[in-house]
Amino acid sequence: MKDLDLSLYLVTDRSLSLNRPLEYIVEEAVKGGVTMVQLREKTCSSKEFYELAIRLKNCLKPFNIPLIINDRLDIALACDAEGLHIGQGDIPYDIARKLLGKDKIIGLSVENIQDAIDANKLDVDYIGISPVFSTPTKTDTAQAIGLEGVRQITQISKHRSVGIGGINRANAHDIIKCGADGISVVSAIMSADDPRSAAYELSELIECRG
């Protein structure tokens, strides 16, 4: 099992950055307590995605924080990212693992109990339980599963997990109480006036387990 700290997992979205450089937000967030970063880009060209991935990887390297690429296996390979996150409609896990190798991190989104059961047959490194709450930052997800859904999935899953979707200071601790190993946030940090303080406050809530 890889030594992953899933406690505060940032998923990027440049449209929520308030026109600030992505590298600035990510570095500040890491200084505040973010433990993993996923680069998610749906609209830019492959070249721009690759160049952004290289810049973020260089930004994260001094902090020993893994860079995870969302969806794009080719970008993950090209920039030698630490891992890849795939959804139910993306490239199959076994293909991704074959191409990336056993040492890379692969995360898988699960949207319901059946997805979690199916994921137990796979040697993924973590699952992303998505979406916990409705969120405007991602419109192509399934119906929100709520806290009870998180509780049910963490009880049957053999994998470590993060909750994602509509998570903020008001509900972060609830996700942990339901059994998740961490929370994944987008706007709670990307749109914060002070990303470092926002990350620190979230990390404090996560540490108050039980």
Side-chain angles (χ1 to χ4, degrees), residues 19-184:
N19 295 316
R20 297 169 296 185
L22 187 56
E23 297 94 321
Y24 162 77
I25 295 175
V26 167
E27 183 167 335
E28 286 295 293
V30 166
K31 289 177 178 176
V34 159
T35 58
M36 290 182 74
V37 175
Q38 180 186 138
L39 177 59
R40 187 171 75 191
E41 289 291 335
K42 297 294 186 182
T43 58
C44 70
S45 69
S46 294
K47 181 182 179 183
E48 186 180 1
F49 197 162
Y50 166 74
E51 291 173 346
L52 187 55
I54 290 293
R55 295 203 303 273
L56 272 196
K57 186 180 176 186
N58 291 335
C59 172
L60 293 170
K61 188 174 182 179
F63 302 99
N64 200 29
I65 299 294
L67 174 64
I68 310 298
I69 302 297
N70 178 262
D71 292 355
R72 294 286 299 273
L73 175 62
D74 57 335
I75 301 295
L77 286 166
C79 73
D80 193 27
E82 283 73 29
L84 175 74
H85 186 90
I86 52 177
Q88 292 295 316
D90 296 326
I91 191 167
Y93 165 77
D94 57 341
I95 302 298
R97 176 61 74 198
K98 181 179 179 180
L99 293 172
L100 283 172
K102 61 181 175 61
D103 295 330
K104 296 296 187 180
I105 301 164
I106 300 183
L108 175 68
S109 293
V110 300
E111 299 174 344
N112 52 54
I113 294 290
Q114 188 58 54
D115 286 350
I117 292 171
D118 293 341
N120 279 343
K121 303 169 188 173
L122 307 173
D123 191 26
V124 295
D125 297 294
Y126 71 90
I127 57 170
I129 304 172
S130 169
V132 180
F133 306 111
S134 297
T135 171
T137 63
K138 204 164 188 291
T139 58
D140 59 345
T141 54
Q143 184 176 352
I145 62 169
L147 293 174
E148 183 57 32
V150 174
R151 185 177 290 109
Q152 291 174 359
I153 288 175
T154 57
Q155 285 175 348
I156 67 163
S157 178
K158 72 175 188 179
H159 300 297
R160 287 172 288 182
S161 62
V162 292
I164 185 170
I167 299 175
N168 51 46
R169 281 183 297 176
N171 55 36
H173 185 53
D174 294 331
I175 307 296
I176 302 301
K177 286 175 66 177
C178 287
D181 295 286
I183 60 168
S184 186

